[in-house]
Amino acid sequence: MILPIVQVGDPVLRARAAAIAPSDLPSLSGLITDMQATMRDAPGVGLAAPQIGRSLQLAVIEDTTDGLTDEQRLARERRSVPFHVIVNPSIQPIGDEVVLAYEGCLSFKGFVMVVPRARRVRVEALDEHGTPVVIEASGWYARILQHEIDHLHGIVCCDRMDPRTLSTVENRERFPPG
Ligand code: ZN
């Protein structure tokens, strides 16, 4: 089932989402399936539970890099990431390299903005079965993890953006930065 995506201004995007007891995960498998379908339909590379109105520490991620040229993949340090689920994540930057890039958000429909993000991160989380996982990521995948985990803490991309870069998607294409 495709779920409606909450847009900025809804207080659920500003709440700190509740941690999930591992024993509750089996009952959330239907929600995870719906979030996967909703992310793919949007389409997006990540979706956090608050974005579909559920204040839970749960996000789904998948980056197929479909439709990108090798040049675009290289420029964004973007590689395919298979579908996976993160539950109750914690995140730490690795090193102090920061990368600036335009990003969008399914809860800021039609807008993009430059957001500085750590180039590399380490995430500790549970998967959908409650198994602990450690993820070390760099480049675009690290950006996705930071963006989705921010959602679980009530932080959205405009909190971290360079405010003068905010643009509609249309105008970003019309007026490419020099
Ligand atoms: Zn988002």
Side-chain angles (χ1 to χ4, degrees), residues 46-48 51 103-108 147-148 151 155-157:
L47 184 69
Q51 292 183 277
E103 66 181 57
C105 174
L106 297 176
S107 297
F108 282 78
H147 182 115
E148 300 312 327
H151 273 303
I155 296 166
V156 287
C157 45

Side-chain angles (χ1 to χ4, degrees), residues 33-109:
T33 303
D34 288 348
M35 286 175 63
Q36 179 185 44
T38 303
M39 171 178 67
R40 287 178 175 173
D41 176 70
V45 293
L47 184 69
Q51 292 183 277
I52 46 92
R54 298 288 298 271
S55 198
L56 295 170
Q57 296 260 339
L58 167 70
V60 297
I61 291 172
E62 178 181 52
D63 190 0
T64 63
T65 71
D66 282 354
L68 295 180
T69 62
D70 286 347
E71 197 178 28
Q72 286 169 322
R73 287 195 188 94
L74 215 63
R76 294 176 197 172
E77 206 184 334
R78 191 164 166 179
R79 301 169 206 94
S80 295
V81 178
F83 177 80
H84 66 102
V85 178
I86 53 171
V87 174
N88 302 342
S90 64
I91 187 166
Q92 291 291 327
I94 303 173
D96 49 18
E97 262 183 281
V98 170
V99 182
L100 300 177
Y102 274 92
E103 66 181 57
C105 174
L106 297 176
S107 297
F108 282 78
K109 210 173 163 185

